[in-house]
Amino acid sequence: MSDPTTGRDRLRELLDAVLEEDSPRLADMAGRAFASPFHFSRRLARDTGESPVALRRRVLLERAAWQITQGASVTDAAFAAGYRSVEGFIRAFGRAFGHPPGATSAGSPTWLPAPNGIHFHPPVHLWIEQNPRRDSGMDLVALQVHHDVDDTGRLLRLAAELPEEAYRRVRAPGQVVLPWDGPEESVAAVLERLVRTKEMWLASIEGADSPEPGADDPASLLERHERSGARWIAAVADIGRRDAFGDRLVDALCDPPESFTLGGVVAHVLTFSAHRRLLVRHMLRGEGTKVDDGDPLAWLQQRHGGTS
């Protein structure tokens, strides 16, 4: 929004004031823009739909996410974003992105929902979307994807406490979830299929070769899950960001090859992952393990301080 009398880009100047490294407080930002805090806040909120403090916090979190994908430590990213403690940064990052900074890897999304389309653009720039999406307050697909990944990790850690014999004991003879996946009669078998399903679909989405089966002990499965879970979160977020849920992929790993919409793939994975997580809970209870219900409501309350 240029000033017609001077040719100055006043909005750009306001954004520069917000994001200046030495302007963490509203008074500092307003001073750099030669305005009172009241008028500065009102002008920026009118032009961007976001308060100066909220805009600064979000863009710096986006920058921190990008820095972590480039190999920066969580500690370095935290202090670069202006946080006084790593713990405070981890809490803020988790609330914003839905996963801890330690789960961020190369390829993870680094943009957050923004009412104005203003985002961090590496290495030191801003990007403004022409038609920014409006934040409805909750992305239900992202919620389900993150809950699924977190909950699967929790079940794998509980399974690691079982004796080997109990972990592999046949508790549901003849149990088949999907015909092409074969029997899933033990905790080990159901958990392995939970992890491998995402590995297989990621290979299809990414155009990679079918992954070789890996070890299925709890520690190995957890390691596989942490790798594929982060990739799965990033892949679904990217599909959503590109509004590509209606795009189709031809899965050459099927015999014969079949085509599926990306939205159908995500729904398929979430549906049968939820089913398998409930099966694992039933089996764990049969082994005397105390386990919760896996309710997303309880998960959200725990993550966000008692509110869902």
Side-chain angles (χ1 to χ4, degrees), residues 242-255:
R242 293 186 292 109
D243 196 20
F245 284 110
D247 289 3
R248 302 187 75 87
L249 65 83
V250 176
D251 187 359
L253 300 179
C254 293
D255 187 16

Side-chain angles (χ1 to χ4, degrees), residues 267-281:
H268 169 87
V269 172
L270 289 172
T271 295
F272 289 100
S273 183
H275 179 56
R276 286 181 168 114
R277 286 186 280 112
L278 290 176
L279 290 178
V280 171
R281 279 180 160 80

Side-chain angles (χ1 to χ4, degrees), residues 188-203:
V190 180
L191 285 175
E192 197 281 334
R193 186 48 57 180
L194 254 176
V195 173
R196 185 157 174 78
T197 293
K198 290 186 181 67
E199 293 174 334
M200 296 290 288
W201 280 112
L202 280 166

